[in-house]
Amino acid sequence: PIPLILAFTSSATRRASAFVPQPLALNNGRNYQVSTNKLLATEKKDDVSNNILSSLQLPSPEAVKENILEGNVGERGETYVVAQFSLLFFIAIGVGDVVTTILGPVFIIAGLILVYKSAADLKDNLSPWPVATDPKAGRGSLINEGIYCYIRHPMYAGLLLGMTGLSILTDSITRLLLTFALYLVLDAKSDFEEASLVKTYGSDYGEYKAKVKSKFFPLDVKSVFTNR
């Protein structure tokens, strides 16, 4: 019996030793698979991150500069680009603010320049009265040069332009209405003045008036910047 028991025990031990490592082998396989899956997931996350960063990367300044300089000026749609960014600028700061802070001062400065240029071109003919200076006094002469080549009453035009700019700058409807009233007064005053000029200079002023048709503002703005 003893040898039989020993043989049975030995056989059972061998079976047990053969059976025990199998779960361990399965656990090691599972651990390896989990580690592999984690590694693949990490690599996939890295790829996604790299793709996102790559998609957010801006073009190089050198490439942008080359694109800007490429092509012929006037054939690249510059008008659309200027209009685009101008509208973006107006939207960002407000159209009303642009008109008030830019157009108003521009009109005022242009008006002052126009008044100064008119006075300089008139020389000794300058007078607040809407009557022609008497040529017999040695000071009067028909002025048809300088700014008077383009408009017959540039000083009045400068006053109107400057007051319009002031009305815009101060955002004042009252000033704008008063500027319109000033226009009516200056229009009537200029008619009175031209009647006096006709009496003084006769057909010479008639020819000048026929040549320079604009009273306050040039009908053809381009003529101011080009030779007539």
Side-chain angles (χ1 to χ4, degrees), residues 106-183:
V106 167
F107 278 14
I108 292 174
I109 294 172
L112 291 173
I113 293 174
L114 199 54
V115 169
Y116 178 85
K117 177 60 176 171
S118 303
D121 288 345
L122 277 177
K123 299 177 183 178
D124 293 338
N125 293 279
L126 182 63
S127 171
W129 313 120
V131 291
T133 306
D134 189 0
K136 296 179 181 179
R139 296 187 307 276
S141 61
L142 180 59
I143 304 298
N144 54 11
E145 299 176 349
I147 192 67
Y148 289 88
C149 287
Y150 308 103
I151 45 181
R152 299 197 304 272
H153 298 277
M155 186 173 291
Y156 297 162
L159 292 175
L160 292 172
L161 194 61
M163 293 304 99
T164 301
L166 182 61
S167 302
I168 294 173
L169 181 62
T170 57
D171 198 17
S172 173
I173 297 296
T174 303
R175 281 195 174 98
L176 194 60
L177 292 174
L178 291 173
T179 300
F180 178 72
L182 177 64
Y183 164 77

Side-chain angles (χ1 to χ4, degrees), residues 10 16-17 19 40 54 59 71 82 87 106 125 148 165-166 175 200 202 214:
S10 177
S17 62
F19 176 77
L40 292 175
S54 177
V82 172
L87 289 173
V106 167
N125 293 279
Y148 289 88
L166 182 61
R175 281 195 174 98
T200 303
S214 303

Side-chain angles (χ1 to χ4, degrees), residues 23 28 66-67 84 134 143 153 157 166 180 203 205 223-224:
N28 288 338
E66 291 179 0
N67 293 336
Q84 169 192 340
D134 189 0
I143 304 298
H153 298 277
L166 182 61
F180 178 72
S203 61
Y205 189 79
S223 64
V224 177

